[in-house]
Amino acid sequence: MYNIVITNTIAEDKISINFDLQDGSLSLTSLDLSTSGDIELNPLVIKLAELIELNKKVEVVYEDSLELLKTDSKITLVKGALDEIYNSFNSNFTVEEDKLH
């Protein structure tokens, strides 16, 4: 079974999040999180809630061609929040796997 690959492309004013289900179906609509001002994470949480029914973990990739993770503390903070969200998502399936063993 394939995992869902989530690619987070970091730009100066946003992080674009793309979802690849890796099963030949059409990709889901990508999300853009603006990093100027307050960060609105609810659209990502809603999208992940929809993906739970697929019963697949996510693999996370960060593309940072401008190396903003090294120079921008806000981007680093946002990445940390995203990592927590993705880890929480995956923990739903770790519990299920533990029950099978």
Side-chain angles (χ1 to χ4, degrees), residues 60-80:
V60 180
V61 176
Y62 289 94
E63 294 179 353
D64 182 19
S65 62
L66 300 175
E67 297 188 351
L68 294 173
L69 284 169
K70 295 179 182 177
T71 60
D72 188 320
S73 60
K74 185 173 185 178
I75 296 291
T76 303
L77 184 64
V78 172
K79 180 190 180 290

Side-chain angles (χ1 to χ4, degrees), residues 1 7 11 16 24 26-27 31 34 37 46 54 57 60 62 65-67 75-78 85 90:
M1 174 165 42
T7 303
S16 296
L26 293 175
S27 295
L31 295 173
S34 173
I46 291 168
L54 297 177
K57 287 186 173 186
V60 180
Y62 289 94
S65 62
L66 300 175
E67 297 188 351
I75 296 291
T76 303
L77 184 64
V78 172
I85 291 169
N90 282 341

Side-chain angles (χ1 to χ4, degrees), residues 1 9 11 20 22 27 34 36 49 56 65 75 80 85 92-93 95:
M1 174 165 42
T9 305
D20 182 356
Q22 295 196 43
S27 295
S34 173
S36 58
K56 296 180 180 182
S65 62
I75 296 291
I85 291 169
N92 291 305
F93 304 108
V95 170

Side-chain angles (χ1 to χ4, degrees), residues 28-39:
L28 299 174
T29 306
S30 63
L31 295 173
D32 286 335
L33 297 179
S34 173
T35 55
S36 58
D38 292 338
I39 310 299

Side-chain angles (χ1 to χ4, degrees), residues 4-8 17-21 28-29 31 33 41-60 62 81-93:
I4 300 166
V5 176
I6 298 179
T7 303
N8 301 270
I17 303 173
N18 294 295
F19 304 87
D20 182 356
L21 302 180
L28 299 174
T29 306
L31 295 173
L33 297 179
L41 295 172
N42 284 340
L44 174 60
V45 172
I46 291 168
K47 181 76 76 174
L48 290 173
E50 294 170 4
L51 294 176
I52 286 178
E53 68 186 40
L54 297 177
N55 208 24
K56 296 180 180 182
K57 287 186 173 186
V58 297
E59 292 178 30
V60 180
Y62 289 94
L82 292 174
D83 286 341
E84 284 187 39
I85 291 169
Y86 297 139
N87 288 335
S88 292
F89 179 88
N90 282 341
S91 71
N92 291 305
F93 304 108

